[in-house]
C-alpha cells in the first residue's frame, strides 16, 4: 500500500503542469475574431439575369453559393441563396449586389465578436494537450494492470475533450474566415394585380364548373325520366277526359 501511495504521489507530481508566463495585455495586439453575417431581400426586374450576375460577382470575389432554392408562387418567381464569402470581401459583395435590386425590402447586417471564446478555447486546448502528453509519459512507467487501465481511461477522456475543442475551434475559424450572406430576390410576373394569371385561372374554373354541372344533370337522369313519364301520363289522362 505504501508503495502504491508513493507511486500515486509521483503520478500527481508528473501531472502538475507548470504555469506558463502570460504576456501582458500591453505587450500584445489582440487580433479580433469577428463573425459577420447578413440578410438581403429585394425585388428585381429579371430573376434569371440577376442570378447570373450574382454568380459572376461570387466568382470574382472568391465566394461560393452553399445552398439555393427556387420558388414559383404564380405571379412571383423567387430565388433564395446562401453565399459564403471571404470576410474581407463581405462589404464588397453587398455593395455589388445592391445595385441589382429594383427595390430593397430588407437589409440586416450583424457582427459577432468571438475573440474571448476563441482565446479561451485555444488556451484550454493547449492545457488538455499537455495533460495528454503527461498521461502518456506516466503510462510508460505504469507497472500494474490497474494502473494501465486507469491511465488509459483518463487518456480517453482527455482525448474526447480535445477533439470537442478542436471541432469548436475549427468551426469558429471557418465562421471568422468566411462571412455568410442570405439572399432572397424575386420577380413579379404579369401586372401588379396579376390580371393575366387570374383571367386564365377564371376561365379554367368556369370550364370545370360547367363540366361539373353537366355531370350533375347526368346523375339525375332517373329522376328526370320518371318525372317526365308521370307528367306525360297526367297529360294523356286529362286529354281523354
Amino acid at each position: 500500500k505504501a508503495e502504491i501511495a508513493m507511486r500515486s504521489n509521483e503520478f500527481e507530481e508528473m501531472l502538475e503542469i507548470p504555469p506558463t508566463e502570460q504576456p501582458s495585455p500591453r505587450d500584445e495586439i489582440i487580433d479580433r475574431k469577428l463573425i459577420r453575417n447578413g440578410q438581403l431581400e429585394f425585388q428585381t426586374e429579371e430573376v434569371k439575369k440577376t442570378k447570373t450576375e450574382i454568380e459572376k460577382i461570387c466568382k470574382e470575389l472568391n465566394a461560393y453559393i452553399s445552398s439555393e432554392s427556387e420558388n414559383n408562387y404564380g405571379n412571383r418567381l423567387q430565388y433564395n441563396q446562401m453565399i459564403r464569402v471571404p470576410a474581407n470581401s463581405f462589404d464588397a459583395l453587398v455593395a455589388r449586389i445592391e445595385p441589382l435590386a429594383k427595390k430593397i425590402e430588407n437589409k440586416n447586417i450583424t457582427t459577432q465578436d468571438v475573440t474571448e471564446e476563441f482565446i479561451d478555447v485555444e488556451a484550454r486546448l493547449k492545457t488538455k494537450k499537455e495533460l495528454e502528453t503527461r498521461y502518456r509519459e506516466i503510462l510508460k512507467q505504469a507497472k500494474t494492470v490497474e494502473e494501465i487501465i486507469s491511465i488509459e481511461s483518463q487518456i480517453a477522456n482527455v482525448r474526447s475533450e480535445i477533439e470537442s475543442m478542436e471541432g469548436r475551434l475549427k468551426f469558429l475559424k471557418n465562421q471568422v474566415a468566411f462571412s455568410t450572406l442570405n439572399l432572397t430576390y424575386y420577380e413579379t410576373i404579369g401586372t401588379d394585380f396579376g390580371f393575366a394569371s387570374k383571367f386564365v385561372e377564371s376561365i379554367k374554373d368556369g370550364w370545370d364548373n360547367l363540366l361539373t354541372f353537366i355531370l350533375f344533370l347526368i346523375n339525375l337522369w332517373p329522376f328526370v325520366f320518371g318525372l317526365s313519364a308521370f307528367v306525360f301520363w297526367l297529360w294523356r289522362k286529362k286529354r281523354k277526359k
Side-chain angles (χ1 to χ4, degrees):
K1 292 183 178 179
E3 182 181 354
I4 294 175
M6 290 178 62
R7 291 191 61 79
S8 177
N9 292 334
E10 291 177 2
F11 291 160
E12 290 179 0
E13 291 178 359
M14 292 185 68
L15 284 174
E16 290 182 1
I17 301 176
T20 56
E21 295 184 1
Q22 298 295 332
S24 171
R26 295 181 179 179
D27 297 335
E28 68 171 341
I29 300 176
I30 298 178
D31 180 19
R32 310 305 299 181
K33 305 297 182 181
L34 305 177
I35 298 177
R36 300 192 66 195
N37 294 319
Q39 184 175 357
L40 187 61
E41 181 177 356
F42 60 91
Q43 180 183 5
T44 183
E45 294 287 353
E46 297 181 36
V47 164
K48 299 292 185 182
K49 183 178 179 181
T50 300
K51 181 176 181 293
T52 301
E53 289 295 326
I54 290 175
E55 291 173 349
K56 180 181 177 182
I57 293 172
C58 288
K59 185 176 181 180
E60 293 175 356
L61 296 178
N62 294 322
Y64 66 93
I65 300 173
S66 61
S67 66
E68 67 177 0
S69 62
E70 177 183 347
N71 302 100
N72 193 330
Y73 299 108
N75 62 339
R76 172 169 167 157
L77 180 60
Q78 177 177 300
Y79 268 94
N80 302 297
Q81 294 177 319
M82 178 184 290
I83 301 176
R84 301 300 309 283
V85 59
N88 56 2
S89 299
F90 179 75
D91 291 330
L93 176 68
V94 176
R96 293 188 60 178
I97 290 179
E98 283 183 335
L100 302 177
K102 176 182 179 182
K103 180 177 66 173
I104 296 178
E105 298 186 350
N106 181 37
K107 178 182 178 181
N108 184 33
I109 307 295
T110 61
T111 301
Q112 180 183 2
D113 190 341
V114 293
T115 307
E116 185 176 348
E117 181 184 2
F118 196 92
I119 294 175
D120 179 64
V121 174
E122 278 190 327
R124 289 191 292 118
L125 179 60
K126 180 181 178 182
T127 301
K128 290 296 181 181
K129 285 185 175 181
E130 291 175 353
L131 182 60
E132 181 187 25
T133 300
R134 291 185 177 273
Y135 269 130
R136 295 192 182 281
E137 291 175 356
I138 295 174
L139 183 61
K140 295 177 182 178
Q141 302 177 22
K143 296 181 179 180
T144 66
V145 175
E146 289 77 7
E147 289 178 355
I148 294 174
I149 294 176
S150 177
I151 297 172
E152 286 183 342
S153 175
Q154 294 299 325
I155 292 176
N157 292 335
V158 173
R159 172 46 47 184
S160 177
E161 293 177 0
I162 289 175
E163 290 176 355
S164 177
M165 292 177 189
E166 287 177 338
R168 180 59 182 172
L169 201 59
K170 182 179 179 181
F171 172 79
L172 290 175
K173 287 181 178 179
N174 179 267
Q175 292 297 307
V176 170
F178 281 82
S179 299
T180 302
L181 179 63
N182 291 296
L183 279 182
T184 298
Y185 53 97
Y186 68 91
E187 168 191 352
T188 301
I189 303 173
T191 63
D192 293 339
F193 299 99
F195 176 79
S197 60
K198 291 180 180 178
F199 178 76
V200 174
E201 189 67 25
S202 297
I203 293 177
K204 181 178 179 297
D205 291 341
W207 176 252
D208 290 341
N209 292 334
L210 176 61
L211 294 178
T212 302
F213 179 70
I214 293 174
L215 292 175
F216 173 74
L217 292 179
I218 294 175
N219 288 330
L220 292 178
W221 75 264
F223 175 76
V224 174
F225 179 78
L227 181 61
S228 300
F230 178 72
V231 172
F232 180 74
W233 177 77
L234 287 178
W235 176 78
R236 288 195 63 181
K237 186 177 180 181
K238 184 178 180 181
R239 185 178 180 184
K240 287 181 180 180
K241 292 181 177 181

